[in-house]
Amino acid sequence: MQFGIFTVSDVTTDPTTGHTPDDTERVRAILTIAQHADQAGLDVFATGEHHNPPFVASSPTTMLGYLAGTTKNITLSTATTLITTNDPVKIAEDYAMLQVISDGRMDLMMGRGNTGPVYPWFGKDIRQGINLAIENYALLRRLWEEDVVDWQGKFRTPLQGFTATPRPLDGVAPFVWHGSIRSPEIAEQAAYYGDGFFHNNIFWPMSHTKRMVQYYRQRFEHYGHGQADQAIVGLGGQFFVRRNSQDAKREFRPYFDNAPVYGHGPSMEDFTTETPLTVGSPQEIIDRYAKMREEVGDYQRQLFLIDHAGLPLKTVLEQIDILAEDIVPALRKENEAKRPAHVPSDPPSHAERVAAARAAGKVTGEHVAGEDRWTGKTAEDDAAAADAATKKGAAFGL
């Protein structure tokens, strides 16, 4: 199971010091956070996409491209790529470029975002949000999977003989998650394509999350991608941790009470009861998140929001260390001990997707991300790899 962090990139005043970082300071802090997460051994760093204050992550591929060159192991992703207001041609080219630069150490999450005015800013109609998501993603798939595309739709100019460049690494498109917190149409879309479904449930009760994930699983199986329990699922989360539970509550309370999203609303106690936000000791975090699989089944990715509400950089880095050293090993051990053998533990890696595509005869060529050179393999090597990939690919619904 993958564990990581995501940022919404908010610029928020620290209520305990009065300090408000400027945009440059906040961007550089996010880069430091991602690099520290890589050094700590976390699996994923993801950034949101916003085009309005108080958020600064307006160009995810620029940020992730830089991080591809300054990190070693961590998977670089988005917590939202705006499929509705971005041109699918630009998404196809930007993320194929990131895939090449990172040598496949990336994926991305499609979403509609949570800022209504972004639609007119980019010349779109919010009333067409679902239809935009469906049409744009269908075009995006074709741009990645077909070398030459002729296309005509409702929301952009037609394409004639168009080739998006660069082509996806090894001829295999990036793995895609579809993120939604309230729209079954998006869960349906993820299931139809056999993609991952991410329910960023940081503001929602588990009963709602459970219904959305169950629906996606049922439709994943309906479309023939595998059994319902083999569908690729991710969840969001939030925590604040200190070695002593009371210290955590005392330190985090002013940040909670003044946060621009949930400040001046429900009490911290009420919010932690109704949502995944957990404030306490490492064991309290472990106990809370170990129960998630009882509600949604075995899932493959857990991301935590921990750099929000004006928390200082030093505190965020401390949170990452406790997460990596104390919380993740315990959660990984418990989840893996209970996971059935036929259920994938992680989302498919780029190398696994390439191997499965080769086994199905969909791509040719010898380079797979992670190899240092182009190599010539014997027919016996290819046959053995194809057999293994077919078995592994079946578990991912490939």
Side-chain angles (χ1 to χ4, degrees):
M1 185 173 176
Q2 291 182 337
F3 293 89
I5 59 173
F6 71 98
T7 182
V8 295
S9 76
D10 60 307
V11 177
T12 303
T13 300
D14 184 333
T16 68
T17 66
H19 174 67
T20 304
D22 61 21
D23 288 359
T24 299
E25 180 182 349
R26 184 67 172 110
V27 169
R28 290 175 177 169
I30 292 171
L31 297 176
T32 299
I33 288 164
Q35 292 160 344
H36 192 80
D38 179 53
Q39 294 161 5
L42 295 182
D43 301 310
V44 185
F45 169 79
T47 175
E49 178 184 348
H50 294 276
H51 298 277
N52 58 293
F55 308 102
V56 294
S58 59
S59 182
T61 53
T62 303
M63 178 180 291
L64 297 179
Y66 174 83
L67 289 171
T70 59
T71 59
K72 293 182 178 180
N73 300 307
I74 201 165
T75 294
L76 303 169
S77 187
T78 55
T80 308
T81 295
L82 296 177
I83 187 63
T84 47
T85 52
N86 283 314
D87 183 357
V89 172
K90 189 66 170 135
I91 295 177
E93 295 187 331
D94 282 353
Y95 285 92
M97 180 68 79
L98 177 61
Q99 188 191 35
V100 170
I101 290 172
S102 67
D103 204 21
R105 188 164 48 92
M106 57 78 68
D107 54 35
L108 69 161
M109 187 190 308
M110 301 298 175
R112 290 180 293 144
N114 59 7
T115 305
V118 75
Y119 285 83
W121 293 340
F122 287 85
K124 306 298 180 183
D125 184 347
I126 192 172
R127 294 170 296 182
Q128 296 293 332
I130 292 290
N131 293 329
L132 280 162
I134 292 170
E135 181 176 295
N136 284 354
Y137 186 62
L139 174 56
L140 176 62
R141 294 273 300 208
R142 290 191 60 190
L143 291 166
W144 276 336
E145 294 172 358
E146 301 175 24
D147 289 337
V148 180
V149 174
D150 294 314
W151 181 87
Q152 184 169 351
K154 180 179 179 180
F155 297 110
R156 77 172 318 279
T157 53
L159 297 173
Q160 295 182 341
F162 181 78
T163 299
T165 60
R167 302 306 299 147
L169 180 65
D170 304 314
V172 174
F175 183 72
V176 171
W177 301 84
H178 298 259
S180 179
I181 56 175
R182 62 188 179 274
S183 302
E185 296 93 337
I186 301 304
E188 179 82 19
Q189 184 181 43
Y192 176 81
Y193 288 104
D195 295 336
F197 178 66
F198 192 92
H199 194 267
N200 195 4
N201 54 321
I202 57 175
F203 300 128
W204 291 80
M206 185 51 65
S207 58
H208 174 76
T209 301
K210 181 178 180 178
R211 287 194 299 271
M212 288 287 286
V213 172
Q214 284 181 337
Y215 177 75
Y216 160 69
R217 290 189 184 279
Q218 292 166 0
R219 302 304 289 169
F220 180 93
E221 183 172 301
H222 168 80
Y223 288 115
H225 299 297
Q227 297 176 200
D229 61 357
Q230 294 174 316
I232 307 300
V233 174
L235 297 182
Q238 298 180 85
F239 71 85
F240 188 85
V241 63
R242 287 302 185 199
R243 300 299 176 186
N244 179 280
S245 180
Q246 293 307 310
D247 290 341
K249 291 177 171 60
R250 182 168 50 253
E251 184 175 349
F252 187 65
R253 189 175 300 279
Y255 295 95
F256 177 91
D257 288 345
N258 292 279
V261 175
Y262 43 55
H264 312 289
S267 69
M268 189 171 75
E269 287 71 20
D270 287 343
F271 200 85
T272 54
T273 298
E274 295 297 326
T275 78
L277 175 64
T278 308
V279 182
S281 67
Q283 192 59 53
E284 287 177 291
I285 313 300
I286 293 166
D287 292 344
R288 184 82 181 279
Y289 281 89
K291 294 179 180 178
M292 297 294 181
R293 65 173 299 280
E294 298 176 7
E295 301 290 340
V296 303
D298 293 279
Y299 61 110
Q300 287 70 36
R301 178 174 287 183
Q302 175 69 63
L303 298 184
F304 297 101
L305 173 63
I306 57 173
D307 73 329
H308 59 120
L311 288 168
L313 177 60
K314 178 177 179 293
T315 299
V316 175
L317 301 184
E318 292 167 351
Q319 297 290 296
I320 290 172
D321 287 338
I322 299 173
L323 174 64
E325 294 169 8
D326 298 335
I327 298 171
V328 165
L331 284 174
R332 198 190 306 277
K333 181 179 179 180
E334 182 157 350
N335 282 315
E336 288 305 296
K338 296 176 180 178
R339 179 181 60 83
H342 71 282
V343 174
S345 60
D346 300 313
S349 69
H350 178 72
E352 288 166 342
R353 286 164 56 79
V354 169
R358 286 179 180 168
K362 295 180 179 179
V363 296
T364 59
E366 299 299 332
H367 181 258
V368 176
E371 295 177 354
D372 294 328
R373 57 191 176 87
W374 293 72
T375 59
K377 295 183 176 68
T378 67
E380 290 78 12
D381 290 336
D382 285 340
D387 181 63
T390 299
K391 294 176 181 177
K392 182 92 178 197
F396 288 110
L398 297 174

